[in-house]
């Protein structure tokens, strides 16, 4: 059985940290990250203000991403998953040798049609503007954020995307990215375990 978890969020919402912690706790678990599918800088469009338009699907090789997920689904066993018992496995996972879990983490996963048929569970981490801007300012990007980039491109694109989700997408579990990481982790982990139990029944 394969079980695919999508973990999406606003920039710096905590999705990568969450994905990596989940990977340590879940059996036979892999991660595919949307950030690995960015086009080279030279291929990313620039708008009239000189902002590189990274926060749109056109900045990514999305077809490659879908292909990677499908390849994993065909053969999760050979995807280089290290066969090790996750830390503190709870009893309910003891007989899940045949379950392979993929966590797909990104920031624009839910408005790309071909991805919509691939998930078993979807999460979305949100942050308020001030906190998001503060976290983003502590990170170094390649290429670096230009002055005004967050307000001019990143945040507006996030709001547009989130509005689209609220109008069109169902079955998304929204999470508050300001909550402590451990709390988010235990919430999502518990939820996934419940879903896996349902699969087994």
């Amino acid at each position: 059985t394969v079980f695919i978890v999508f973990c999406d969020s606003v920039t710096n919402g905590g999705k990568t940290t969450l994905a990596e912690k989940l990977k340590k706790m879940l059996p036979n678990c892999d991660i595919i990250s949307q950030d690995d599918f960015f086009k080279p800088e030279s291929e990313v469009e620039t708008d009239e203000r000189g902002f590189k338009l990274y926060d749109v699907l056109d900045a990514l090789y999305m077809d490659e991403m879908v292909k990677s997920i499908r390849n994993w689904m065909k053969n999760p066993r050979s995807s280089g998953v290290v066969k090790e018992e996750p830390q503190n496995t709870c009893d309910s996972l003891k007989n899940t040798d045949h379950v392979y879990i993929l966590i797909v983490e990104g920031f624009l996963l839910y408005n790309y049609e071909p991805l919509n048929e691939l998930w078993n569970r979807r999460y979305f981490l949100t942050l308020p503007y001030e906190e998001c801007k503060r976290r983003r300012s502590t990170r170094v990007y390649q290429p670096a954020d230009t002055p005004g980039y967050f307000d001019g491109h990143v945040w507006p694109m996030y709001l547009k995307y989130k509005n689209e989700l609220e109008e069109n997408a169902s079955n998304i579990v929204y999470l508050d990215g300001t909550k402590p990481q451990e709390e988010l982790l235990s919430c999502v982990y518990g939820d996934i375990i419940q879903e896996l139990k349902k699969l087994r029944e």
Side-chain angles (χ1 to χ4, degrees), residues 3 5-9 18 110 119-126 162 165-166 169-177 179 183-184 186-192 195 198:
F3 187 83
V5 176
F6 277 19
C7 186
D8 197 341
S9 86
L18 180 63
Y110 301 152
W119 54 271
N120 295 90
R121 204 79 176 118
R122 320 200 267 186
Y123 301 96
F124 191 81
L125 288 148
T126 60
K162 188 160 171 284
L165 293 192
E166 286 164 355
S170 53
N171 300 323
I172 295 176
V173 180
Y174 287 92
L175 300 163
D176 176 355
K179 290 206 164 121
E183 190 180 322
L184 289 168
S186 80
C187 163
V188 173
Y189 177 71
D191 193 52
I192 291 171
E195 293 296 311
K198 282 186 209 163

Side-chain angles (χ1 to χ4, degrees), residues 2-200:
V2 298
F3 187 83
I4 300 184
V5 176
F6 277 19
C7 186
D8 197 341
S9 86
V10 60
T11 177
N12 295 284
K15 60 190 171 295
T16 309
T17 309
L18 180 63
E20 282 166 1
K21 289 187 169 177
L22 283 169
K23 182 178 177 182
K24 291 190 175 129
M25 293 172 72
L26 294 163
N28 312 328
C29 186
D30 273 325
I31 295 177
I32 287 179
S33 172
Q34 194 172 25
D35 285 357
D36 294 340
F37 297 91
F38 271 116
K39 293 175 179 173
E41 194 183 341
S42 59
E43 286 180 39
V44 174
E45 283 184 50
T46 306
D47 73 2
E48 66 285 353
R49 299 163 300 178
F51 290 153
K52 279 275 176 194
L53 303 181
Y54 273 106
D55 290 50
V56 293
L57 288 170
D58 285 348
L60 297 139
Y61 293 119
M62 291 303 295
D63 48 345
E64 290 298 317
M65 184 173 183
V66 172
K67 209 184 295 174
S68 298
I69 297 172
R70 289 201 178 279
N71 288 342
W72 180 91
M73 289 166 80
K74 276 188 221 122
N75 199 351
R77 212 176 279 267
S78 71
S79 53
V81 174
V82 186
K83 187 67 186 124
E84 54 173 309
E85 276 304 295
Q87 307 152 349
N88 62 31
T89 305
C90 63
D91 290 339
S92 61
L93 278 182
K94 283 288 184 267
N95 51 350
T96 48
D97 287 346
H98 59 287
V99 173
Y100 289 85
I101 299 171
L102 179 65
I103 298 172
V104 179
E105 59 106 354
F107 66 104
L108 282 177
L109 297 175
Y110 301 152
N111 58 356
Y112 186 66
E113 205 52 52
L115 286 177
N116 284 346
E117 57 211 51
L118 301 178
W119 54 271
N120 295 90
R121 204 79 176 118
R122 320 200 267 186
Y123 301 96
F124 191 81
L125 288 148
T126 60
L127 282 179
Y129 168 81
E130 295 296 342
E131 175 62 13
C132 186
K133 189 169 185 175
R134 185 191 69 72
R135 289 188 194 182
R136 175 107 181 182
S137 68
T138 63
R139 294 271 289 279
V140 179
Y141 289 89
Q142 282 308 328
D145 280 359
T146 46
Y149 189 66
F150 181 83
D151 287 323
H153 177 60
V154 177
W155 189 253
M157 292 317 290
Y158 161 66
L159 292 181
K160 176 174 177 282
Y161 173 52
K162 188 160 171 284
N163 287 339
E164 284 169 18
L165 293 192
E166 286 164 355
E167 278 171 28
N168 307 316
S170 53
N171 300 323
I172 295 176
V173 180
Y174 287 92
L175 300 163
D176 176 355
T178 59
K179 290 206 164 121
Q181 281 174 356
E182 291 312 313
E183 190 180 322
L184 289 168
L185 179 66
S186 80
C187 163
V188 173
Y189 177 71
D191 193 52
I192 291 171
I193 298 302
Q194 287 303 317
E195 293 296 311
L196 289 173
K197 276 186 189 158
K198 282 186 209 163
L199 268 188
R200 284 222 305 278

